[in-house]
Amino acid sequence: MAAIFRALFVGLLLCSACNLLEGHKPLNLLLFRRIVTDYNSKYVSNYEASVSADFTTINFTLNIMRTITVDVWLRATLAQRVSKKENSYRNVFTYDVNLCHIMGKKKGQSIIDFWLDNVMRNSNMPRQCPFKEGNFTMLNIQSDKETIPRFIRSGSFSIDSNVYMRQWHNDNLTNTIIYVDIKKR
């Protein structure tokens, strides 16, 4: 579940303004550099992510120990590195969305729907709420270069996401930081 939200987060953040600013150079390359994960051991017994050797895909493993019976929310922030210092990033934008509402809707044509389909393609993750306990994987998730907003310039970015349950006192489920490099021609 968290993995789907992390990958969805990448899609949401990088794809939210896909058709803005016509005439910018097309994307040449998006590389996943590193992923840092953490989880709440009250709900999750394992949450891992890995980046492929060529840095173009990511894989997630998640073990949910108990059924999550409330809506799950995603707070995600895209930030761009502003200097060579490791932690020197400037926020570009932040989302805070109810993932259960997004997943519960009929299939649409939005960027969110596109990314959710992309993330779920090679996954055994639940496709609706509530999320039942179990072992889940999401494999070979990659960015569709055509859906990255044109206003995003070449550079290094962090995608910081927190999956949480508002109704359970904003209790965290997982946290993920994905570091990516975007290079445009």
Side-chain angles (χ1 to χ4, degrees), residues 101-184:
H101 287 168
I102 292 170
M103 292 175 62
K105 290 182 179 181
K106 289 184 177 180
K107 194 169 183 89
Q109 297 297 319
S110 73
I111 293 294
I112 294 170
D113 295 315
F114 171 81
W115 269 92
L116 190 56
D117 288 344
N118 184 35
V119 167
M120 298 299 278
R121 190 173 301 131
N122 295 318
S123 170
N124 67 340
M125 294 294 296
R127 300 191 192 287
Q128 62 186 11
C129 294
F131 288 99
K132 302 208 183 288
E133 66 182 270
N135 295 307
F136 304 100
T137 59
M138 296 174 44
L139 305 174
N140 300 315
I141 298 166
Q142 59 189 131
S143 173
D144 182 340
K145 296 170 182 83
E146 299 300 317
T147 60
I148 294 180
R150 293 182 179 165
F151 69 85
I152 299 290
R153 297 180 180 197
S154 293
S156 296
F157 296 84
S158 71
I159 303 166
D160 189 352
S161 62
N162 169 249
V163 176
Y164 68 101
M165 288 97 29
R166 275 191 181 174
Q167 291 173 297
W168 290 349
H169 307 289
N170 292 330
D171 217 357
N172 286 335
L173 189 60
T174 63
N175 293 303
T176 306
I177 303 173
I178 301 173
Y179 295 94
V180 300
D181 287 339
I182 296 176
K183 297 180 182 179
K184 293 188 175 184

Side-chain angles (χ1 to χ4, degrees), residues 7-32 55-56 78 80 92-93 95 111-112 114-115 118 142-155 157 159 180-185:
L8 175 61
F9 171 66
V10 171
L12 289 173
L13 293 180
L14 294 178
C15 299
S16 66
C18 172
N19 290 318
L20 294 177
L21 304 176
E22 291 295 325
H24 281 252
K25 295 178 181 179
L27 178 69
N28 187 26
L29 190 59
L30 183 140
L31 299 174
F32 296 99
F55 302 103
T56 61
L78 174 70
Q80 184 169 20
V92 176
F93 51 84
Y95 281 98
I111 293 294
I112 294 170
F114 171 81
W115 269 92
N118 184 35
Q142 59 189 131
S143 173
D144 182 340
K145 296 170 182 83
E146 299 300 317
T147 60
I148 294 180
R150 293 182 179 165
F151 69 85
I152 299 290
R153 297 180 180 197
S154 293
F157 296 84
I159 303 166
V180 300
D181 287 339
I182 296 176
K183 297 180 182 179
K184 293 188 175 184
R185 290 185 231 161

Side-chain angles (χ1 to χ4, degrees), residues 29-89:
L29 190 59
L30 183 140
L31 299 174
F32 296 99
R33 289 298 181 189
R34 183 169 57 110
I35 301 176
V36 178
T37 60
D38 190 25
Y39 60 89
N40 186 332
S41 60
K42 201 166 31 170
Y43 309 104
V44 175
S45 64
N46 183 39
Y47 174 51
E48 297 176 347
S50 64
V51 177
S52 65
D54 67 357
F55 302 103
T56 61
T57 63
I58 52 180
N59 296 308
F60 292 93
T61 301
L62 173 69
N63 184 350
I64 301 174
M65 295 186 314
R66 65 184 258 203
T67 299
I68 307 299
T69 58
V70 297
D71 284 0
V72 177
W73 288 73
L74 169 68
R75 183 178 306 113
T77 300
L78 174 70
Q80 184 169 20
R81 188 185 307 176
V82 293
S83 75
K84 296 287 183 193
K85 294 180 184 177
E86 186 175 323
N87 291 323
S88 183
Y89 287 85

